[in-house]
Each structure stands twice: as C-alpha cells, then as structure tokens.
C-alpha cells in the first residue's frame, strides 16, 4: 500500500511512475540484505524466525512486483529501452528476480530445499550486481542500493567474526560432534537391509568456547567430514539438552533423519567428527511467568520443548517460576517411530527432569481404551493409544485456568492449526500462544495410525 502511494503520488506520467517503481523496488531490497543468515538479524530484532521468514518473503515479493511494473513501463515505452549495457544489465537483473520468484514457490522449497537455498543466494548476488551496473551513479536508487550493500557487508562481517570467535579458540581443539543412534537401523523404502540406517540420532557437541545456554536456542551445525557439499552448509537444530562442567560445555541435539545432511549423519552413526557451530540463535520465551503451561509437540518437535520443561521443573523446585501446572502433549506417528523415541525417553534426560520434583509434582494420564503402559525408570510417563483431543483439552484448560496460561506449539501443521484455532477462540488477556521456531514436518501416514502420548506435571 505504502509502495503504491509512493509510486502514484504526486500524479505523474506512466514513465515517471515506472522510474519511481524502480526506486521503490531498490528501497524494498534493503531489509532483505541482512547477511548470510536471517537468524542473526532475527535475534537482534527480537522477533521469531517465522515472522522474519514471512517478512522476508513478503518484502521480497513486493520488490519483485515493483521491479516487474518498472520493466513493463520501460518496455512499453520503446524509446527508453535502448541497446546499451545499462539495459542489458536491467534485463539480467529482471530475469534473476523473476527466477528467484519462480524458485521460491512452496513445492520447490519442500522438495529441494538445499537447491532452493543455493540458487536463491546465487540469483540474489547476480540481481544485485546487475542492478548496481544498471543504475546511473547519481540517482536516488543507486544511493539506496549502496546503503543496502553496505548493510549487507557490515552484517556479514559481524556474522563471520562471531562465527570465528565461537569456533576458533587459541590452544583449544575445534568442536567435536559425537553421533549416537537412538533408534535401531531400519531400511527405508526398497533399500537393502545392509544399507539400513537409524532414523533418530543424538549428537553431542563439545564446544571450544562455552556460553550460557538458554531454552529456545538453536545452532547451525556443519560437519565438513560428511562431505564438502553436504557437510559444509550449516543446518539448524534446537539445543535439546546441555551439560556444563569443568571440561567445558556439551550441547546435545536430537536429529530426525531426512535426505541430505541428516541422512549422511545417520550413515555415520557411532563416529566422532570435527564440527563447526554457528549461533546460538533464537528468542527464549518466559514460560515461568505463566501459571499454566501447555506444550504441544509432534514427533521430533519434543526437542523444542525439552529445555523449557527442564527449566520449568528446576525453577519450580527453586521457587523461581510462577508455573504450577505443566501439561505436555506429545503425538508420535506409529509403532516404528515410538520405537525410535522409546530409548530416548528412558534416557537420563527425562529421568533427570522427572526426579527433580520435591514430591509436589504428580503425573496423570488421559483415559484410553488400551491398558496404560509405563515408560521410563521413573514410572511417571504413560502411553495411550488414542490421538490427543486437542480441542477438548484446550477448552478445558483455558476455561478452568488459574492465573495466566501459555500454549506452546512445536507441532506439525495439522495439530498446530487445530491448537491455534482453539486458542484464538478463547483468546483474552491472560492467554498466550507461542509457536517455536522449529516446526516438525507433518506425518505422512493417515491419522488413524497415530498414537498419543500425554503426560502432565502438577504442583
Ligand atoms: C530453527 C530450527 C530448528 C530445528 N531443529 C531441529 C531439531 O532439533 N531436530 C531435527 O531433526 N530437525 C530440526 N530442524 C529441521 C532440520 O534443520 C532439517 O530437518 C535439516 O536441516 C534437514 O537437513 P537435510 O539436508 O537432511 O534435509 P533435506 O532432506 O535436504 O530436506 C528436508 C527438509 O528439511 C528442511 N531443511 C533442509 N535444509 C535446511 C536448512 N539448511 N535450514 C532449514 N531447514 C532445512 C527443509 O524443510 C526440507 O524440506 C530445525 C529447523 C529449524 C528451522
């Protein structure tokens, strides 16, 4: 809207509006030029990664639409489109922006994320260079472009300096990543059994320069030993657990295997690698300020909630949080996935959380047709085979709440949509909804295959 006003007011000829649209397109490029990772600027601005990604794509689309308007006006006005290098670079810039638009559609991103990311960066660099050559030096647009390029250079320099500081410490070894399988090796599709690999992994990374880890942080992990192209690009993972002792800081991540970096990681389970980490990024949420905390996770989304759960239970024991009721609903897909999660569930992580209570925390299980099954050494987690009744549960919890309530989502689209709709229906001052930066992928199989796992702590 603002862009349209700037292009059309004060009243001008089509040719002038075309020029203004070009200038506005360049101005819109400025917020897009925020260095090699969106996460850094996102953290500085104190906004969520989702908001940042959504703004990035909307501002990008606006810039492309304005550039398209500029191109249409110029080509209509045959005299202005001359056979000069300036025009050639204009065509190159326009084509690069057009390709960015086409390659940013959802099916491409979903199917070939890595390919999308590389092409996006390359095309953005080509577009910038071409616009720079296309613009006459003394125009307003050229000045705005210079501002954008300087901003990009400064943010990139800060980013790589922080990366170097995090990974290179004089007299200390590089970070090491120990990959441990948490599920048994399973063949995928028609793969021979000999090539089967585990689908759930725990990666423990000992970092050379420790920091104060907080719930909600994620890091980008690169492992060059997995291959130059696969291993070098950083992949984001939530810090699910961390241990700090005299020898330093070890952060642990839970990895669900996909087709690229994570598959290579699974193929190399039980090995130790040299690693590089970028971060930490992410905005922590203050769950301890709420009387009731409801956490909803699907599959590997549990990794996003683990650190908050840990903080809340220890904060409860030391009387540092207001939270008196925590309800965690975790949906997993099927027997196969449950098998993958089970060894992790009985690991000391969950045990540590659940044995920290002072006797005031009790766990309850929703009724199910199936006999309850106990899980873990603490006998506090029980499994039910019914899928969670998100609507009923939220209605009940929000309706009968004491104090403020926060609902946190680290769940696939289907569950997140249901929870969001339900919370919005009951939205008021004391109700808050947060969606964590990581959204796990949707389960592919039908809902009837799902089994629910639900456990809550009450104080
Ligand atoms: C903030 C955040 C935290 C995350 N935390 C976890 C976690 O704790 N555990 C976990 O298993 N997964 C987590 N993920 C998802 C994880 O980053 C991807 O599954 C992983 O990068 C896939 O790598 P791949 O090369 O094997 O994927 P591919 O098979 O190439 O792609 C599979 C899907 O993974 C996603 N993806 C691939 N590369 C990237 C990338 N560089 N950045 C972001 N997404 C990518 C895309 O959606 C893609 O469709 C998190 C993602 C984000 C954004």
């Amino acid at each position: 809207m603002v862009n349209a006003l700037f292009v059309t007011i004060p009243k001008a000829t089509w040719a002038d509006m075309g020029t203004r649209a070009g200038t506005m397109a360049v101005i819109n490029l400025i917020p897009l030029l925020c260095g090699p990772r969106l996460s850094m600027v996102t953290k500085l601005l104190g906004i969520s990664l989702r908001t940042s990604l959504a703004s990035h794509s909307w501002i990008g689309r606006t810039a492309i639409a304005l550039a398209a308007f500029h191109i249409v006006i110029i080509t209509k006005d045959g005299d202005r489109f001359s056979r000069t290098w300036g025009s050639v670079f204009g065509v190159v810039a326009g084509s690069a922006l057009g390709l960015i638009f086409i390659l940013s559609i959802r099916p491409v991103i979903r199917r070939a994320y890595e390919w999308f990311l590389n092409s996006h960066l390359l095309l953005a660099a080509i577009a910038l260079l071409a616009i720079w050559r296309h613009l006459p030096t003394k125009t307003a647009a050229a000045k705005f472009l210079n501002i954008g390029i300087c901003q990009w250079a400064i943010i990139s320099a800060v980013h790589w300096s922080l990366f170097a500081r995090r990974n290179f410490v004089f007299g200390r070894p590089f970070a090491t990543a120990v990959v441990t399988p948490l599920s048994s090796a399973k063949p995928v599709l028609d793969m021979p059994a000999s090539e089967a690999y585990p689908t759930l992994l725990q990666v423990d990374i000992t970092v050379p320069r420790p920091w104060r880890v907080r719930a909600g942080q994620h890091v980008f992990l690169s492992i060059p030993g997995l291959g130059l192209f696969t291993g070098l690009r950083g992949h984001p993972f939530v810090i699910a657990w961390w241990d700090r002792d005299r020898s330093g800081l070890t952060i642990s991540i839970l990895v669900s295997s996909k087709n690229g970096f994570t598959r290579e990681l699974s193929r190399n389970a039980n090995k130790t690698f040299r690693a590089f980490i970028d971060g930490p990024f992410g905005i922590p949420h203050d769950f301890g300020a709420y009387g009731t905390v409801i956490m909803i996770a699907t599959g590997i989304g549990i990794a996003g909630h683990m650190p908050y759960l840990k903080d809340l239970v220890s904060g409860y024991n030391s009387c540092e949080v207001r939270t008196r009721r925590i309800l965690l609903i975790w949906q997993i897909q099927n027997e196969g996935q449950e098998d993958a999660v089970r060894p992790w569930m009985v690991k000391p992580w969950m045990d540590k959380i659940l044995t920290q209570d002072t006797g005031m925390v009790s766990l309850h299980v929703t009724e199910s047709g199936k006999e309850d099954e106990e899980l873990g050494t603490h006998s506090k987690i029980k499994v039910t085979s019914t899928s969670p009744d998100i609507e009923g549960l939220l209605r009940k919890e929000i309706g009968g709440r004491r104090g403020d309530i926060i609902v946190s989502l680290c769940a696939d689209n289907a569950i997140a949509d249901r929870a969001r709709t339900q919370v919005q229906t009951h939205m008021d001052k004391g109700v808050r909804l947060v969606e964590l930066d990581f959204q796990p992928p949707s389960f592919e199989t039908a809902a009837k295959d799902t089994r629910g796992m639900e456990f809550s702590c009450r104080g």
Side-chain angles (χ1 to χ4, degrees):
M1 184 66 192
V2 176
N3 283 289
L5 289 179
F6 273 109
V7 171
T8 51
I9 296 172
K11 209 163 171 259
T13 60
W14 280 106
D16 284 343
M17 284 198 281
T19 309
R20 283 185 206 161
T23 308
M24 287 309 293
V26 174
I27 293 175
N28 276 277
L29 288 182
I30 297 176
L32 305 180
L33 300 173
C34 44
R37 279 205 204 297
L38 272 185
S39 294
M40 198 179 106
V41 173
T42 304
K43 186 178 169 185
L44 281 176
L45 294 177
I47 55 174
S48 72
L49 193 58
R50 269 157 209 278
T51 312
S52 176
L53 283 169
S55 316
H56 188 85
S57 52
W58 272 110
I59 298 172
R61 279 176 208 152
T62 309
I64 292 173
L66 286 161
F69 181 73
H70 171 77
I71 293 167
V72 169
I73 299 288
I74 299 294
T75 41
K76 244 180 76 188
D77 184 359
D79 296 345
R80 291 182 70 192
F81 189 76
S82 49
R83 284 169 191 269
T84 59
W85 278 112
S87 300
V88 171
F89 282 117
V91 172
V92 173
S95 313
L97 290 176
L99 268 176
I100 288 181
F101 180 74
I102 293 168
L103 294 176
S104 303
I105 54 172
R106 244 165 223 280
V108 178
I109 297 183
R110 220 177 293 136
R111 273 162 212 269
Y113 190 85
E114 211 84 330
W115 205 84
F116 150 76
L117 218 56
N118 292 334
S119 64
H120 191 82
L121 291 176
L122 185 71
L123 288 168
I126 293 174
L128 271 187
L129 213 68
I131 296 172
W132 179 59
R133 296 298 309 270
H134 169 70
L135 292 172
T137 33
K138 294 227 165 102
T139 55
K143 287 179 189 145
F144 284 121
L145 187 70
N146 287 340
I147 293 175
I149 292 175
C150 287
Q151 172 188 289
W152 178 84
I154 292 169
I155 297 176
S156 299
V158 172
H159 177 263
W160 290 118
S161 309
L162 290 174
F163 178 84
R165 187 171 182 276
R166 177 70 58 222
N167 289 283
F168 306 103
V169 180
F170 189 70
R172 288 208 208 148
F174 288 114
T176 51
V178 181
V179 186
T180 314
L182 292 184
S183 62
S184 47
K186 287 199 185 78
V188 176
L189 299 173
D190 49 0
M191 174 192 288
S194 56
E195 287 175 26
Y197 54 83
T199 50
L200 191 76
L201 306 158
Q202 177 184 329
V203 182
D204 299 313
I205 308 152
T206 306
V207 300
R209 190 185 294 276
W211 74 93
R212 191 171 158 247
V213 184
R214 297 182 64 193
Q217 289 185 338
H218 64 269
V219 291
F220 284 76
L221 174 68
S222 325
I223 302 185
L226 294 180
L228 206 58
F229 292 110
T230 318
L232 260 190
R233 173 180 289 290
H235 285 77
F237 295 98
V238 171
I239 302 175
W241 197 264
W242 61 96
D243 280 310
R244 208 178 164 152
D245 56 24
R246 280 194 187 175
S247 61
L249 171 71
T250 302
I251 54 171
S252 301
I253 57 175
L254 281 174
V255 179
S256 155
S257 173
K258 301 280 181 320
N259 298 316
F261 176 81
T262 50
R263 185 158 65 184
E264 275 316 304
L265 214 51
S266 333
R267 284 195 176 131
N268 288 281
N270 293 315
K271 288 191 188 161
T272 301
F273 291 96
R274 173 178 298 175
F276 294 99
I277 53 167
D278 195 2
F281 301 111
I283 305 294
H285 299 285
D286 184 11
F287 285 13
Y290 294 82
T292 303
V293 176
I294 300 182
M295 300 173 171
I296 302 175
T298 55
I300 193 72
I302 190 68
H305 281 132
M306 281 296 298
Y308 285 112
L309 202 55
K310 179 187 176 196
D311 270 9
L312 282 177
V313 177
S314 67
Y316 174 81
N317 289 336
S318 56
C319 300
E320 284 170 4
V321 294
R322 285 197 206 145
T323 309
R324 288 293 168 267
R325 180 165 164 74
I326 307 165
L327 183 63
L328 169 62
I329 302 150
W330 178 16
Q331 188 181 17
I332 52 174
Q333 188 182 13
N334 51 33
E335 288 290 348
Q337 190 174 5
E338 190 179 335
D339 270 349
V341 175
R342 196 183 294 256
W344 167 73
M345 288 289 299
V346 294
K347 266 197 59 58
W349 291 1
M350 196 52 118
D351 286 342
K352 270 190 203 166
I353 287 177
L354 295 172
T355 50
Q356 269 184 39
D357 73 78
T358 54
M360 295 178 72
V361 178
S362 68
L363 284 134
H364 74 110
V365 190
T366 48
E367 286 178 358
S368 75
K370 182 179 179 285
E371 256 184 59
D372 293 340
E373 185 189 340
E374 287 186 350
L375 208 62
T377 52
H378 31 67
S379 309
K380 287 177 178 175
I381 302 172
K382 291 181 183 158
V383 185
T384 133
S385 60
T386 53
S387 66
D389 172 17
I390 302 285
E391 289 81 3
L393 190 129
L394 288 176
R395 207 179 308 122
K396 186 170 145 232
E397 291 295 329
I398 297 174
R401 71 179 194 271
R402 282 196 314 219
D404 292 348
I405 186 167
I406 186 165
V407 179
S408 163
L409 303 177
C410 195
D412 66 24
N413 264 330
I415 294 275
D417 283 350
R418 283 169 59 193
R420 207 180 295 117
T421 311
Q422 195 58 35
V423 175
Q424 279 163 356
T425 324
H426 295 89
M427 195 48 100
D428 70 35
K429 246 177 35 197
V431 181
R432 194 173 158 217
L433 176 76
V434 294
E435 299 196 37
L436 303 188
D437 282 340
F438 169 40
Q439 179 170 41
S442 301
F443 297 139
E444 276 152 31
T445 46
K448 64 178 161 53
D449 283 337
T450 60
R451 309 183 86 222
M453 203 183 270
E454 189 169 311
F455 37 102
S456 72
C457 316
R458 249 190 199 153

